[in-house]
């Protein structure tokens, strides 16, 4: 195949004045709205007043608002975005050539910032609203470390305190990730810690535990509630996060429109759903309004198959059950992926927005094993230059699969996927793969049933 | 101060058709040419035939050519450049605001690629010419790891073998850096190894040594000479490297010209001189032709003060004395910076081009201690978002110093500095700094004299 290397630039950058000035709230166009969050004690829909105790006021409002389609992005956030956005939409010419596929492959690369991922898009928004409300600090949890790093950066920029509960196994396996957060002035504590009631309880109940995301969330929520002027912030799952992350999809759509390109397939990795919700938002909007049709594929790890093998129902968002409940695809709040699982995307649940869209048939889901994910990551890195995060590589794997189908059929489909971040702090996992020491774990039906059977009866 | 945040974009990206199509060879405009490389045995100027045994033919020609001003960049290299270039020229609005300085600060950011630095600019060129000549592999040395990573990436892209001798202390301290190279298919060996004669000799002479760049160079040269179809490649010091790196300065100048900005001060960090030579090339060209004047500052570590405290004379480029000799500023080929020195920029010599320009007064040099460098790096990271490499942070430190002088005088000087890379694989050093465990080492005059006294008598 003789690709024309000049027709579309390698990287499409938007000009500053082409950048989105408002976030898009896909819920406004959904006929079936995501079910409301529930108070964890009363099981009644959480009110604004209740949410304001956990989130700062503007964010609580964003969380509940399912009718306003566009939220103007405050100027201060736009200024911060300009430091690392627009992110490039890259035409994967070299990958296409390597695969010898007629497909046109594009990826939206969110890794060109120090936090190394898309998480910064929501971190700066959440930090800004906290600062604006006169708060002095934030608490959060981090698993793979991308969200914690992003929030540390945003906090440093705005002069806010930042306290991060980092899942213990990650804290120990990724000392350099921790050091980046410290360089940005954050206080980083391995979770479960002895600093919180819930941490002490979990340490007592499960001595030697290396922690989980659900547990770190509970600790961060407790720490926020006990510190005057602090709020808890979360990097995924929530409606407000999906809203902020819509910047990814909006930029992608603007860049494609600029060159008259219409995607056939849109692929995103899915853990808690932050990147996926953001990437697909404007495209789902088109579909919801009946203006266009796309094939949207969510990709999740075979070891944490929330959408492909979980159930759709109300569940706790955290192990300590202090957060509101959400209706979502879930494996049960007690589900912890096998310790052999290397990448992120290990959250037991899924964004209520993504869950509802999936439930209503606007997207499909697929699960892939980690060894095939790392093989795809390596193949991609060698020709496209970027060393991808394990999470992002789930999307790469399926993009390659779809491009190879096009090779069989001869179709020139346009494939767009989200490359959420870089793998610079995941080299321990790459080393395992390079040394041939990485295996795959696929939970049994019984294991999943045992966990989903414990869902609250709502 | 009320900065106008819209007058100049945060990041100036060139369009693909504005990218340089030729490298600029500053030697063509120098009245005093850099002295020729000398054969290490005969001490006669190295001929093309001699150099062709070490470098591939085109590169040997580039090394010797001091009259051709522009070398067209082959299309294949231009295509590769498009994957990560043009690199952004960033207006440091946030740093200016933080410092409250009337200075206008710009930095050319070369870290937005997986190798994490500007080294890729020359790696792909050297790999391309090797491939074009029908060679099958390359050997090289790496210290901090940026060059080895860059060459691994370029080799993977072109399907060449790549063998990297990594300074042992770095190999052990930066396992993840090593893993990135392996992911790109490179063979990485800690140096001194037992694989080469020179390695065995050094291991015997200095048992337990953690290696040096000069020693790793000797090993790589020996390995290349013993492998059919292999050549040795070097990431700094050489004239050919300065030529390829001119892409940095050319893009910078084009971007500034696009907005009618003329720099007053240009600052670059200096180890072997690859980044500095590239950044300043077109600006020095202006000065050499009498068309403009700039203040150019080379910044080096106080623990390896090649230009500020070394001597200008012929010296060996490597410990094993198998490479040609170069006339340069040098601390003596046996000089090894204190083990407390954390960053790169630890080479004993300096690019002959940079050395000659410095000798002729076209640039000044300044040395800074590592604790002040890491303090500047942290300050920069918190407001500008990018976590800089320790090497690059030497330039940041002096840029901040100059901006603070402007604050005193009220001058609105335009300061441009080279931000050569990211510090993601240098978190061990950041950790030392964060924990308050980093000290400074400044060699005594006697220590430097003892080393420079051993220079060959040429």
């Amino acid at each position: 195949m003789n690709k024309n290397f000049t027709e579309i630039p390698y990287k499409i950058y938007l000009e500053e004045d082409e950048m989105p000035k408002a976030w898009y709230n896909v819920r406004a166009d959904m006929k079936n709205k995501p079910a409301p969050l529930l108070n964890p004690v009363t099981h009644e829909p959480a009110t604004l007043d209740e949410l304001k105790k956990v989130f700062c006021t503007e964010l609580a409002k964003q969380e509940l608002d399912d009718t306003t389609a566009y939220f103007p992005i405050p100027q201060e956030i736009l200024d911060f975005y300009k430091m690392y956005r627009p992110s490039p939409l890259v035409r994967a010419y070299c990958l296409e050539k390597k695969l010898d596929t007629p497909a046109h492959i594009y990826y939206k690369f969110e890794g060109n910032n120090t936090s190394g991922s898309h998480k910064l898009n929501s971190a700066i928004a959440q930090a800004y609203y906290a600062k604006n409300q006169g708060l002095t600090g934030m608490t959060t949890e981090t698993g793979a470390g991308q969200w914690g790093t992003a929030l540390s950066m945003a906090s440093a920029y705005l002069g806010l305190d930042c306290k991060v509960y980092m899942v213990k196994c990650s804290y120990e396996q990724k000392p350099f990730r921790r050091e980046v957060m410290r360089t940005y002035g954050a206080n980083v504590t391995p979770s479960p810690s002895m600093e919180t009631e819930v941490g002490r309880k979990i340490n007592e109940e499960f001595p030697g535990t290396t922690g989980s995301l659900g547990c770190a969330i509970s600790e961060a929520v407790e720490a926020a509630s006990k510190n005057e002027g602090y709020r808890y912030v979360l990097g995924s799952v929530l409606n407000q996060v999906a809203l902020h992350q819509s910047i990814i999809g909006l930029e992608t759509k603007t860049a494609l429109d600029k060159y008259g390109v219409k995607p056939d397939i849109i692929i995103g990795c899915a853990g808690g759903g932050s990147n996926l919700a953001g990437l697909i938002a404007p495209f789902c909007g088109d579909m919801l309004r009946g203006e266009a049709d796309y094939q949207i594929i969510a990709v999740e790890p075979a070891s944490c198959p929330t959408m492909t093998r979980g159930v759709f129902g109300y569940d706790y968002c955290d192990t300590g059950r202090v957060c509101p409940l959400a209706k979502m695809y879930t494996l049960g709040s007690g589900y912890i992926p096998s310790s052999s699982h290397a990448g992120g995307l290990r959250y037991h649940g899924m964004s209520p927005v993504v869950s509802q869209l999936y439930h209503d048939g606007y997207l499909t889901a697929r699960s892939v094993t980690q060894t095939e994910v790392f093989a795809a990551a390596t193949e991609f890195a060698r020709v496209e230059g970027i060393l991808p995060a394990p999470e992002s590589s789930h999307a790469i794997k399926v993009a390659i699969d779809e491009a190879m189908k096009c090779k069989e059929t001869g179709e020139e489909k346009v494939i767009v996927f989200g490359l959420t971040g870089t793998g610079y702090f995941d080299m321990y996992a790459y080393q395992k793969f390079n040394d041939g020491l990485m295996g795959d774990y696929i939970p049994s039906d019984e294991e999943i049933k045992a966990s989903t059977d414990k869902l609250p009866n709502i």
Side-chain angles (χ1 to χ4, degrees), chain A:
Chain A
M1 195 166 346
N2 194 7
K3 290 274 177 194
N4 182 348
F5 270 59
T6 51
E7 152 204 335
I8 303 268
Y10 266 75
K11 290 171 295 183
I12 307 177
Y13 280 109
L14 301 179
E15 300 291 326
E16 277 183 17
D17 57 14
E18 295 171 315
M19 281 174 66
K21 302 285 182 296
W23 294 302
Y24 169 61
N25 182 14
V26 71
R27 287 170 291 164
D29 283 315
M30 290 168 72
K31 212 161 63 182
N32 300 328
K33 307 285 184 191
L37 296 175
L38 300 186
N39 179 305
V41 179
T42 64
H43 291 187
E44 292 296 315
T47 64
L48 180 62
D49 279 344
E50 284 167 355
L51 289 184
K52 277 161 68 175
K53 289 174 198 157
V54 186
F55 308 121
C56 67
T57 308
E58 276 307 313
L59 292 169
K61 283 185 190 162
Q62 292 179 359
E63 193 60 35
L64 293 174
D65 188 337
D66 58 12
T67 55
T68 305
Y70 287 93
F71 285 77
I73 307 174
Q75 188 58 44
E76 290 84 345
I77 299 176
L78 286 176
D79 281 342
F80 187 88
Y81 277 170
K82 282 183 202 160
M83 280 171 49
Y84 70 101
R85 307 201 68 83
S87 73
L89 181 73
V90 185
R91 173 76 185 266
Y93 281 116
C94 300
L95 182 63
E96 291 173 21
K97 199 174 157 193
K98 172 84 191 305
L99 301 176
D100 191 20
T101 173
H104 295 208
I105 308 174
Y106 294 82
Y107 53 91
K108 180 70 169 168
F109 181 44
E110 293 286 322
N112 268 353
N113 70 75
T114 287
S115 80
S117 82
H118 67 291
K119 296 283 187 183
L120 198 51
N121 302 331
S122 184
I124 185 60
Q126 297 193 43
Y128 167 78
Y129 289 116
K131 171 93 175 178
N132 222 27
Q133 190 175 320
L135 300 175
T136 55
M138 293 175 294
T139 69
T140 199
E141 81 296 333
T142 200
Q146 293 176 334
W147 167 248
T149 312
L151 193 70
S152 303
M153 287 179 66
S155 302
Y157 181 80
L158 293 171
L160 289 165
D161 294 339
C162 180
K163 181 153 183 65
V164 181
Y165 289 89
M166 187 172 187
V167 177
K168 198 180 269 173
C169 64
S170 188
Y171 183 92
E172 284 160 5
Q173 244 177 45
K174 299 188 174 187
F176 295 161
R177 183 56 99 171
R178 176 190 77 211
E179 239 18 81
V180 177
M181 292 186 252
R182 286 185 68 209
T183 300
Y184 282 96
N187 176 313
V188 189
T189 307
S191 165
S193 75
M194 296 302 279
E195 286 178 4
T196 64
E197 271 177 44
V198 62
R200 284 189 292 271
K201 199 177 137 203
I202 289 171
N203 268 318
E204 202 170 294
E205 210 166 322
F206 307 98
T209 176
T210 55
S212 73
L213 214 47
C215 162
I217 294 176
S218 301
E219 287 209 276
V221 172
E222 183 184 325
S225 70
K226 289 184 176 163
N227 271 289
E228 189 67 38
Y230 273 56
R231 285 294 185 287
Y232 166 68
V233 297
L234 179 62
S236 194
V237 183
L238 297 171
N239 296 329
Q240 58 190 268
V241 176
L243 175 69
H244 307 147
Q245 294 295 358
S246 69
I247 189 88
I248 304 173
L250 292 166
E251 280 186 12
T252 302
K253 196 158 187 308
T254 305
L256 289 170
D257 286 348
K258 196 169 163 179
Y259 287 87
V261 177
K262 185 189 168 292
D264 298 297
I265 306 176
I266 301 163
I267 302 167
C269 63
S274 67
N275 147 71
L276 183 71
L279 174 65
I280 68 177
F283 300 100
C284 279
D286 286 354
M287 292 168 83
L288 289 159
R289 294 186 306 272
E291 293 168 7
D293 204 24
Y294 311 97
Q295 184 187 353
I296 297 178
I297 308 172
V299 191
E300 55 186 18
S303 59
C304 192
T306 313
M307 282 189 281
T308 49
R309 299 177 63 196
V311 298
F312 188 43
Y314 268 106
D315 195 9
Y316 296 99
C317 292
D318 61 323
T319 314
R321 304 182 171 188
V322 293
C323 291
L325 289 94
K327 187 173 178 193
M328 56 186 177
Y329 279 85
T330 177
L331 294 165
S333 65
Y335 184 84
I336 296 179
S338 156
S339 62
S340 70
H341 176 68
L345 311 178
R346 51 172 67 240
Y347 187 64
H348 67 275
M350 177 55 57
S351 142
V353 174
V354 171
S355 292
Q356 189 65 49
L357 289 168
Y358 175 57
H359 192 69
D360 292 343
Y362 290 98
L363 54 124
T364 57
R366 209 174 284 182
S367 78
V368 289
T369 62
Q370 64 179 354
T371 50
E372 57 186 359
V373 164
F374 276 84
T378 303
E379 181 170 20
F380 177 84
R382 290 187 183 183
V383 292
E384 286 290 323
I386 296 167
L387 187 92
E391 298 81 31
S392 327
S393 305
H394 287 70
I396 294 175
K397 163 65 184 151
V398 170
I400 291 177
D401 287 349
E402 291 299 315
M404 294 312 284
K405 281 187 202 162
C406 289
K407 189 176 176 177
E408 277 173 37
T409 62
E411 288 172 288
E412 288 196 27
K413 284 190 181 172
V414 174
I415 300 170
V416 176
F417 70 90
L419 190 71
T420 54
T422 56
Y424 304 144
F425 294 100
D426 300 288
M427 295 318 297
Y428 183 79
Y430 271 97
Q431 183 175 353
K432 263 178 101 171
F433 177 74
N434 291 338
D435 289 338
L437 300 175
M438 179 176 279
D440 287 317
Y441 181 80
I442 300 176
S444 68
D445 289 342
E446 291 70 30
E447 188 179 345
I448 289 179
K449 187 166 180 302
S451 177
T452 52
D453 275 353
K454 290 182 197 144
L455 250 59
N457 194 7
I458 297 171

